[in-house]
Each structure stands twice: as C-alpha cells, then as structure tokens.
Amino acid sequence: MRLTLTPRRVYFDLLTELGDHLVTGADILAQLIGSEPAERPALANRMRDVEHLADESTHAIIRHLNRSSATPFDRDDLYDLTSSMDDCMDSMEEATDAVVLYRIGELPDAVTDQVATLQRAAELTAAAMPQLRKMNGLEAYWIEVNRLENQADRIYRGLTADLFTDPQYLDSPAGVVHLIKIRTVIDSLEAAADHFEKVANIVESIYLKES
C-alpha cells in the first residue's frame, strides 16, 4: 500500500474527539444509573449513539494509520492508545446495556461510586489528549488515573463481598439471578476502570519515549 502524508494535527484532533466522546458516555452512564427504570431505555439509546461516534473516531484514526507515513509518535503506541480508549467506551456501553436488557431495578449504592470514578477518569483522559501535542502537563494525569483505578478496585471488591454475603441475594433462586445480573454490571464497570488505567499507562510510555 502506498503511504501518504497526513498532517500530524489530524491525529491529535481525532484523539481529542474520542476523549470527548468518553466524557459524554460516562455522563450518560451516570444519568442512567441514577434514573428510574422507565427512563433507562432512552438513555441506553443515547449511549449507543455516542458509542457509534466513538467508533467513527477510532476507525478514522486507524484509516489514517494505514495510509500515512507521518505519525506524531510511535505507530504502535498510537494504535494501542486508540484501541484502549475505544475499549473504555465499549465497557461503559456494556454496563448500560446490561442494566436495561436485564431489567435491573434498584442497584447497590456503591455502583454510583464506581461510575463516579469513571466520570473523573474520562474527564482527565479527555483533557490529556490535547496535551499530547506538546507533551507537557501529563504526569499528574496518569498518576491520578492510576489512583482512581485503585479506588475503583476497592469499590469493586467491596461490592462483590456485599453481594455474596447479603441474604437478599442468597436466600432464593430469584435473589441469585438478581445477583448475577448486578455482577454483570459491576464487572463491566470494573473493566472500564482497567481500560482507563491502560490508556494512562500508554500515555506515560509515549511521554517517556518522546521526552
């Protein structure tokens, strides 16, 4: 395939766009978790629309990578960064779909705490993308996202322990089914936190290579 020159700013613009989609997706997720069941299908549809927009940004970056000989930093790092940001969105959408498709009513309060960490991680990630242009002001970003991921881990472990020790989930077949549904949601949220940490780790690696 003949490679062409693509302005490097295109990559930064698309990464910034993708980061903004993550913020929107995390905010919709927070709205859905705090909403009444009847309101959730509409919010899930909005999340699906945002996920499609994120996919378009992701595919645009990959297309440029396949066609271009000029990249702002290592080609593999750029691919991994893009894919990991897309994974963040996919996991948030999975959690949204699970809540709606499984018709989960009330969720444990700590799920709200899980989502709050994702909202903050998304905001930090979106803010970091434009800073990749000059490779400055990034260290605080990956330190804070790693801290958030550790916080998300603690919330997840506590939630899991509560689910498996709460009699309302264990004393009947219906309770066990409900436990499985909730576990699917919190697993997807935990996966999203892990993906945000991976994005931050990739940014750190890019920074260290380029500085």
Side-chain angles (χ1 to χ4, degrees), residues 19-43:
D20 289 341
H21 292 323
L22 293 180
V23 172
T24 303
D27 288 345
I28 293 171
L29 176 60
Q31 292 174 47
L32 183 139
I33 294 299
S35 67
E36 295 296 323
E39 301 170 341
R40 290 173 178 171
L43 289 165

Side-chain angles (χ1 to χ4, degrees), residues 71-86:
T71 58
F73 41 82
D74 183 82
R75 182 178 298 272
D76 289 339
D77 287 339
L78 184 50
Y79 178 84
D80 289 344
L81 176 61
T82 304
S83 298
S84 295
M85 291 176 71
D86 190 53

